[in-house]
Amino acid sequence: MAKGLLMTYVLWAVGGPVGLHHLYLGRDSHALLWMLTLGGGGLGWLWEFWKLPSFVAQANRAQGQRQSSGGGTPPLSPIRFAAQMIVGIYFGLVALISLSFMASFYIVGLPLAVGLGVLLVAAVGNQTSDFKNTLGVAFLTSPIFYGRPIAILPISLAASITAQKHRRYKSSLGSETLSVRLYRLGLAYLAFTGPLAYSALYNTAATLSYVAETLGSFLSWFSFFPLFGRLMESVFLLPYRVWRLLMGGHGFSSSYFQEWKKLYEFVHSFQDEKCQLARQFLFPEGFGCLRGGNK
């Protein structure tokens, strides 16, 4: 049955951040990615407004004649490469929060999480990549930076380069029922969120302490790249600001959310320190801090 553009836009508006329109179009990898990142932090969901017609056309072509695996190599996409890097880092940070208690975490857990994040982006749309080579490079890179949270970055970079090198079109697949697809997506979602939820609910104080140390180490690495560092800090602080907006400033009254407020203040201190240094040495970015004001 052909996919309709109007229905796609309706699903995009109603449940776009959780990937309903991608599920409708048969783009299960893209739907899972949106479920785990809430539509790419909302930015990816908004950007798709102009991409939906091409997604619908691609889905209707796929129903008639699937692209074979021997149909050449997909064009290199800088956007896909950047997304692989970002999602790989995101998966690595989640693994650090929820699975760092594992004895062999830096050898098994971290490269596996980062590699799967890279592969998830590589499998979006009609493309995919080599599973074994991408994960193999992630596992080979991990021991070089053993025990360091910053290992997330080189692992994600190496896995993304490998995934791009081995990119290819997806081979023909038989049609699957919606129940089978939902079952597979549900298992993947639980595998991602289960350890994180357990860690957050049953070990909140220790989890936040480790998150603070990890973010501090991770953000300090970007001190040589102020613009990118500020962007990363804004991404980390976005959930807090959204919660404050939704709760009208009263969302942190309980002791549980007071712990998360401490994490916010820890990360936000990096921005304040940069502004103070900028004013002291009269760097151009200091004037931006003066205009915005420090809280």
Side-chain angles (χ1 to χ4, degrees):
M1 182 178 179
K3 306 299 182 181
L5 182 59
L6 179 60
M7 176 60 69
T8 303
Y9 271 107
V10 170
L11 293 175
W12 173 87
V14 173
V18 293
L20 285 184
H21 55 302
H22 290 304
L23 189 63
Y24 168 70
L25 296 175
R27 302 166 61 93
D28 291 354
S29 296
H30 211 158
L32 178 61
L33 177 63
W34 259 213
M35 289 168 61
L36 299 180
T37 63
L38 290 181
L43 298 178
W45 167 61
L46 295 174
W47 179 73
E48 282 184 333
F49 181 84
W50 293 272
K51 302 288 292 183
L52 292 183
S54 63
F55 289 166
V56 173
Q58 186 180 100
N60 288 330
R61 286 197 305 267
Q63 284 187 340
Q65 183 178 4
R66 293 272 181 177
Q67 176 77 44
S68 65
S69 59
T73 302
L76 182 65
S77 172
I79 296 179
R80 187 182 289 261
F81 177 79
Q84 288 173 347
M85 280 283 300
I86 294 172
V87 175
I89 293 172
Y90 169 59
F91 273 47
L93 289 173
V94 171
L96 277 170
I97 295 171
S98 57
L99 300 175
S100 57
F101 61 88
M102 294 173 53
S104 57
F105 171 74
Y106 284 97
I107 297 296
V108 178
L110 185 61
L112 179 62
V114 175
L116 289 177
V118 171
L119 284 169
L120 179 60
V121 179
V124 165
N126 62 346
Q127 297 184 28
T128 187
S129 187
D130 188 89
F131 185 86
K132 293 182 179 179
N133 283 322
T134 303
L135 285 185
V137 168
F139 278 100
L140 290 175
T141 306
S142 181
I144 302 175
F145 303 89
Y146 181 83
R148 303 176 184 175
I150 196 60
I152 297 173
L153 187 61
I155 294 173
S156 182
L157 177 61
S160 298
I161 293 175
T162 304
Q164 284 291 307
K165 181 180 179 181
H166 295 278
R167 66 190 184 279
R168 65 175 186 269
Y169 288 109
K170 291 179 179 177
S171 58
S172 300
L173 296 173
S175 59
E176 295 179 327
T177 62
L178 180 61
S179 59
V180 172
R181 293 167 55 202
L182 290 176
Y183 176 75
R184 185 167 56 244
L185 287 175
L187 288 180
Y189 185 81
L190 287 176
F192 181 89
T193 59
L196 183 62
Y198 176 85
S199 179
L201 292 176
Y202 292 98
N203 200 17
T204 303
T207 297
L208 291 178
S209 176
Y210 194 84
V211 171
E213 294 176 1
T214 301
L215 291 183
S217 174
F218 189 76
L219 292 176
S220 65
W221 192 85
F222 294 105
S223 59
F224 298 102
F225 308 97
L227 181 61
F228 190 68
R230 288 197 299 272
L231 177 61
M232 294 298 295
E233 291 165 13
S234 299
V235 171
F236 287 135
L237 297 178
L238 181 61
Y240 169 83
R241 289 168 175 161
V242 171
W243 181 269
R244 293 279 295 184
L245 179 64
L246 294 177
M247 300 302 294
H250 302 289
F252 287 87
S253 56
S254 67
S255 58
Y256 174 80
F257 287 108
Q258 286 294 335
E259 296 291 340
W260 287 101
K261 187 175 182 180
K262 293 178 183 177
L263 177 60
Y264 165 79
E265 293 172 349
F266 175 84
V267 178
H268 194 271
S269 66
F270 284 93
Q271 294 176 325
D272 294 337
E273 183 178 355
K274 285 183 179 180
C275 291
Q276 293 172 4
L277 291 175
R279 285 198 297 269
Q280 180 179 355
F281 294 101
L282 298 181
F283 286 155
E285 65 175 303
F287 298 111
C289 296
L290 287 173
R291 287 193 300 267
N294 285 330
K295 295 181 181 179

